[in-house]
Amino acid sequence: MSNVKIMAILTARPGKTAQLRELLDRMVGASRVEPGNLRYDLWVDQGNPDCFVLDELYADSEAVTAHRASPHFQGYLATINDLAERTALTLDALSVF
């Protein structure tokens, strides 16, 4: 088994930055306590305060599956497209310390 990293880039739709930030803040707290979650950090672009990055790390693909099945992730999915444009990458490590 190997760790799985997810990087999600979310850019708020016009007038939705505060709502997006609230949603992402709720996701951080709920996701960090999941079994198999090793990291769940929220970043903001220094040059664009409407652009956020979620930096997620899971113990394995089963932890990712559990995260995606969680009530808080399902709530996120139900609202995220109204609040932001998003790109998510699911990554395997090649050369990581």
Side-chain angles (χ1 to χ4, degrees):
M1 283 192 262
S2 63
N3 293 347
V4 178
K5 179 154 204 70
I6 298 175
M7 299 291 292
I9 301 167
L10 305 111
T11 303
R13 297 192 187 283
K16 302 288 186 175
T17 301
Q19 289 175 281
L20 177 59
R21 174 69 193 272
E22 289 173 18
L23 174 65
L24 297 176
D25 283 340
R26 287 193 306 271
M27 287 296 294
V28 168
S31 298
R32 283 182 176 167
V33 297
E34 293 173 5
N37 179 273
L38 304 174
R39 163 173 247 123
Y40 202 97
D41 295 331
L42 177 60
W43 298 78
V44 66
D45 184 345
Q46 291 181 356
N48 180 359
D50 297 328
C51 183
F52 299 90
V53 175
L54 284 172
D55 178 8
E56 308 171 39
L57 185 63
Y58 298 91
D60 51 36
S61 61
E62 289 80 14
V64 174
T65 299
H67 169 69
R68 290 179 176 161
S70 70
H72 54 274
F73 186 79
Q74 293 301 309
Y76 164 89
L77 280 182
T79 60
I80 193 60
N81 290 330
D82 292 334
L83 300 178
E85 292 184 33
R86 71 183 176 117
T87 300
L89 303 171
T90 302
L91 309 166
D92 290 321
L94 293 180
S95 179
V96 179
F97 293 141

